[in-house]
Amino acid sequence: MEKKIKRNCYCGDLTKEHEGEEVCLSGWVQTRRDLGGLIFVDLRDRSGIVQVVFNPERKEAFKKADEIRSEYVIAVKGKVRRRPAENVNAKISTGFIEVIGEELDILSKAKTPPFPIEDNIKVDEIVRLKYRYLDLRRPSMQYNMIFRSKINKAIRDFLDENGFVEVETPVLTKSTPEGARDYLVPSRLNPGKFYALPQSPQLFKQILMVAGMDRYYQIARCFRDEDLRADRQPEFTQLDIEMSFVDVDDIISLNEKLIKYVVEKVTGIKVEIPFTRMTYEQAMEKYGSDKPDTRFGMEMVDISNIVGSSSFKVFSDAVKDGGRVKGINIKNGGKTFSRRQIDELVEKAKEFGAKGLAWMNVTSEGIKSPITKFFDEQTVKEIKDKFDCEVGDLIVFIADSNAELVMTSLGSLRIYLAKALNLIDKNKLNFLWITEFPLLEYNEEEKRFVAKHHPFTSPMEEDIPLLDKEPSRVRAKAYDIVLNGTELGGGSIRIHDAALQEKMFETLGFSKERAWNNFGFLLKAFEYGTPPHGGIAYGLDRMIMLLLGLDSIRDCIAFPKTQNASCPMTDAPSVVDAKQLKELHIQVKI
């Protein structure tokens, strides 16, 4: 039997220190060049690329080298030598050496790939996903997958050191309401009944607290049948954490240490703790978002009390009807934006939901604006002082009787302006906590209050009496961790008192029968001694995307789905044959 070449070294690991050593390498042919009797091959594996040189003196190896093409899989045996000075390639780590090929095995031939296996290629994403096995060969994609693996390991190392137990929870479970749409799985053994794929391990992790596990975590696969976008997939990975006998501060403190450890361990970037904390109300008032990007200023300012009695009806009517007037100061915006560009900002504000956009340009000759005539000198001075104006600044305002619309539309405009004016430092990692979320929100379609997080989130003790009187004012013991304007994760202290849980279901419009029908297995567990507990869940794909500086989570998931939740590589979802449907007692009618 012919002896095969067996790899003993990775291509990208070779350095000048290996000079004179005999090595065996395996990988893919990146390029092959025939230059005046010598054949040069760039050999690639996941560690990097090294140049291999084949000389006619080694007849058999040279003959085989003449046959190989891009993406052939080969094994090479040869000696490492230092490259001549004029041939050094300082752009790659192995650019100072090369391998003189003495033996060569062609392990597998390859068709010409539909796109080059290299970074910074311009190719349709659908093509990349169709040939994902080729796309994943590219250095940047290999780096992303290895980075993800390191993040997972760092998470496990930290949680293990801090007394957490990793527990797997079921993937086939019961469908429960109060979330996104479930993916349903028909049961062959129980005709007419369905499992649901978990949207999160929420109920199981609470049961694990009842079971006395005390500190649980899981890197869990989760599934939600919802509309997709750049940072959302139908199946995603969640870092799920739950702890017993803790309060909000305990959970926040531990998670700050977790984030610091993981980020510093994997990226080397220093993370300062504790992170800034901000209530939901403060975030909405300042930034118009419950996940604000704090890498730049341009905070929102409320002038409702200044302009509420002015003769400018757009402002005064909004305030009179219970709404708000808020604005932001675009520093030097008066010099940056032409009148035409200001008109474009007005249209942009309308896209974000506002009815319009008022503005004031601060010049050396005073305020220039179509609305200045509606305000007396004192009011104009108060507006300028409130916004800390300087010559050259441009103030933009949004007013509406709907106070929330004012905040969200101006918040969206703030982000748009920061991007347009290049105000965001992409090298910054600004972590912060948003706390004291509303416990409930009113659903106009269902004409009832629904849980903003989930029905097991605990209200603030002092707000419990408001459940009967003003449910919309009840604050939750809930918290989100935000990074650079993106929610990384969220959690809460859970309700562990049976009477309070019953009250919560009543507020949500659940009859006792419905509550037990939907959540009976959890409520039953609660009857046997429930510790105070709370936790958090991170969108792990999203966290990795942000740490890598990617625009889409699809680039840090090995086999993602497209915008319509399909897989071009496997053609999933697909039609199944009649026999399978019959076994499941299902009939398909489109």
Side-chain angles (χ1 to χ4, degrees):
M1 184 176 175
E2 185 184 355
K3 190 177 179 182
K4 295 288 183 181
I5 299 168
K6 190 169 183 179
R7 180 176 65 184
N8 61 13
C9 185
Y10 280 93
C11 298
D13 292 345
L14 293 175
T15 66
K16 287 183 280 190
E17 280 65 45
H18 291 90
E19 184 179 3
E21 290 184 20
E22 187 174 80
V23 294
C24 296
L25 307 171
S26 298
W28 284 261
V29 174
Q30 180 74 19
T31 57
R32 171 194 167 280
R33 305 178 302 282
D34 190 337
L35 301 177
L38 294 177
I39 295 175
F40 293 84
V41 171
D42 286 341
L43 185 63
R44 182 192 74 242
D45 61 22
R46 78 174 195 197
S47 66
I49 288 178
V50 68
Q51 179 171 279
V52 182
V53 183
F54 291 97
N55 192 303
E57 293 173 8
R58 294 280 181 172
K59 291 183 180 177
E60 190 177 344
F62 188 81
K63 183 181 177 185
K64 287 182 181 177
D66 195 41
E67 298 173 23
I68 60 177
R69 298 292 181 267
S70 292
E71 297 311 307
Y72 274 35
V73 181
I74 64 172
V76 175
K77 185 176 182 180
K79 279 194 178 169
V80 180
R81 77 173 181 190
R82 197 173 291 230
R83 286 198 203 185
E86 64 273 16
N87 292 334
V88 164
N89 180 1
K91 292 179 182 177
I92 59 174
S93 61
T94 61
F96 293 89
I97 53 95
E98 58 192 8
V99 176
I100 304 303
E102 298 172 350
E103 295 179 30
L104 169 63
D105 284 339
I106 298 175
L107 304 177
S108 176
K109 296 183 178 181
K111 289 183 177 180
T112 302
F115 51 82
I117 310 300
E118 56 192 46
D119 290 336
N120 303 314
I121 52 172
K122 289 186 178 179
V123 59
D124 189 275
E125 189 180 38
I126 296 295
V127 177
R128 286 178 52 205
L129 293 179
K130 183 176 177 64
Y131 298 95
R132 190 62 163 182
Y133 39 85
L134 299 179
D135 192 41
L136 286 170
R137 289 183 191 174
R138 296 190 300 116
S140 61
M141 294 299 293
Q142 300 238 320
Y143 179 85
N144 293 353
M145 295 302 112
I146 294 167
F147 183 92
R148 183 181 182 118
S149 176
K150 288 178 178 177
I151 291 284
N152 286 354
K153 183 180 185 302
I155 287 168
R156 286 191 163 98
D157 289 346
F158 176 88
L159 292 174
D160 182 66
E161 284 293 316
N162 283 272
F164 283 81
V165 179
E166 184 171 13
V167 183
E168 293 177 345
T169 54
V171 171
L172 295 176
T173 184
K174 180 182 173 69
S175 180
T176 56
E178 298 291 308
R181 290 185 206 90
D182 284 328
Y183 277 103
L184 299 176
V185 181
S187 171
R188 179 182 61 83
L189 299 176
N190 301 277
K193 294 185 178 180
F194 293 80
Y195 301 103
L197 302 181
Q199 294 184 30
S200 82
Q202 180 63 44
L203 303 185
F204 285 103
K205 71 180 181 182
Q206 291 191 250
I207 285 175
L208 286 169
M209 295 302 101
V210 179
M213 294 309 300
D214 193 70
R215 289 191 164 201
Y216 141 93
Y217 85 96
Q218 182 182 185
I219 296 177
R221 296 295 282 164
C222 304
F223 309 85
R224 291 180 189 171
D225 186 4
E226 56 188 354
D227 295 332
L228 306 184
R229 58 189 185 211
D231 61 351
R232 186 182 279 171
Q233 282 278 297
E235 50 184 323
F236 58 96
T237 305
Q238 187 171 288
L239 169 60
D240 204 43
I241 297 173
E242 198 80 3
M243 306 160 67
S244 290
F245 307 107
V246 290
D247 57 24
V248 171
D249 288 339
D250 294 325
I251 293 172
I252 284 179
S253 175
L254 180 123
N255 278 274
E256 286 178 346
K257 292 170 187 168
L258 166 66
I259 290 168
K260 177 180 173 66
Y261 177 85
V262 170
V263 173
E264 291 185 354
K265 182 81 174 174
V266 179
T267 70
I269 298 169
K270 291 295 176 189
V271 175
E272 297 297 325
I273 58 174
F275 301 151
T276 301
R277 290 196 209 182
M278 195 181 299
T279 66
Y280 172 86
E281 186 178 0
Q282 290 169 335
M284 293 302 293
E285 288 289 345
K286 275 188 175 183
Y287 302 103
S289 170
D290 60 3
K291 41 183 181 294
D293 191 336
T294 56
R295 288 175 293 176
F296 64 99
M298 213 185 287
E299 295 174 2
M300 291 158 44
V301 175
D302 193 319
I303 57 164
S304 303
N305 62 331
I306 298 174
V307 299
S309 56
S310 71
S311 61
F312 186 44
K313 289 287 189 183
V314 173
F315 285 2
S316 57
D317 285 354
V319 176
K320 186 171 65 179
D321 293 339
R324 309 280 282 282
V325 181
K326 295 178 81 80
I328 50 180
N329 183 357
I330 309 169
K331 299 303 288 182
N332 290 311
K335 300 172 184 176
T336 306
F337 290 90
S338 65
R339 179 57 195 267
R340 179 182 62 79
Q341 289 172 315
I342 293 173
D343 290 340
E344 288 172 1
L345 282 184
V346 175
E347 293 308 308
K348 186 58 69 173
K350 289 178 181 177
E351 285 180 33
F352 296 136
K355 293 187 178 74
L357 186 76
W359 55 273
M360 288 183 176
N361 195 347
V362 185
T363 72
S364 55
E365 299 161 7
I367 297 284
K368 289 189 177 179
S369 168
I371 66 170
T372 312
K373 60 188 177 186
F374 296 103
F375 305 105
D376 58 36
E377 205 170 298
Q378 179 59 30
T379 302
V380 171
K381 182 182 182 308
E382 286 182 34
I383 292 171
K384 286 176 64 180
D385 290 346
K386 191 84 171 176
F387 283 95
D388 194 22
C389 286
E390 298 174 309
V391 171
D393 292 350
L394 176 67
I395 316 170
V396 292
F397 311 91
I398 290 177
D400 201 280
S401 57
N402 183 334
E404 188 173 348
L405 186 145
V406 172
M407 292 187 283
T408 55
S409 56
L410 192 57
S412 296
L413 187 66
R414 173 182 175 268
I415 295 295
Y416 170 81
L417 285 165
K419 290 177 179 175
L421 296 170
N422 200 26
L423 300 179
I424 300 173
D425 182 350
K426 294 188 177 178
N427 294 316
K428 269 189 181 179
L429 292 180
N430 273 26
F431 293 96
L432 75 148
W433 291 99
I434 305 298
T435 62
E436 298 182 26
F437 279 84
L439 181 72
L440 308 162
E441 53 191 357
Y442 193 74
N443 186 308
E444 287 290 346
E445 193 178 315
E446 297 184 29
K447 302 299 179 191
R448 69 177 181 94
F449 281 99
V450 297
K452 191 164 180 73
H453 283 78
H454 55 68
F456 305 98
T457 300
S458 179
M460 306 280 281
E461 277 89 355
E462 60 268 35
D463 290 354
I464 291 173
L466 295 172
L467 283 169
D468 287 322
K469 307 169 192 172
E470 297 177 86
S472 61
R473 287 183 54 205
V474 179
R475 294 164 302 157
K477 288 185 180 178
Y479 34 82
D480 279 0
I481 179 70
V482 175
L483 171 60
N484 296 350
T486 298
E487 178 198 334
L488 279 192
S492 66
I493 299 298
R494 325 303 185 188
I495 298 171
H496 72 282
D497 177 75
L500 181 56
Q501 187 62 69
E502 197 170 311
K503 182 68 187 171
M504 180 66 165
F505 281 132
E506 184 186 311
T507 305
L508 294 171
F510 279 53
S511 66
K512 193 166 185 177
E513 182 185 9
R514 186 187 169 199
W516 274 87
N517 184 49
N518 290 145
F519 305 105
F521 62 99
L522 179 64
L523 298 176
K524 187 74 176 171
F526 279 4
E527 293 178 342
Y528 291 90
T530 308
H533 60 285
I536 192 168
Y538 293 87
L540 198 54
D541 311 291
R542 198 176 292 178
M543 178 194 289
I544 292 164
M545 174 188 79
L546 291 172
L547 292 177
L548 283 168
L550 303 173
D551 296 321
S552 168
I553 60 172
R554 291 191 289 272
D555 283 339
C556 61
I557 296 173
F559 301 103
K561 304 287 190 294
T562 63
Q563 202 76 16
N564 67 349
S566 64
C567 173
M569 187 182 77
T570 62
D571 286 331
S574 59
V575 174
V576 298
D577 62 43
K579 184 173 179 289
Q580 287 175 282
L581 293 175
K582 188 176 179 181
E583 287 174 341
L584 293 168
H585 311 280
I586 285 179
Q587 188 175 33
V588 176
K589 186 176 181 182
I590 303 295

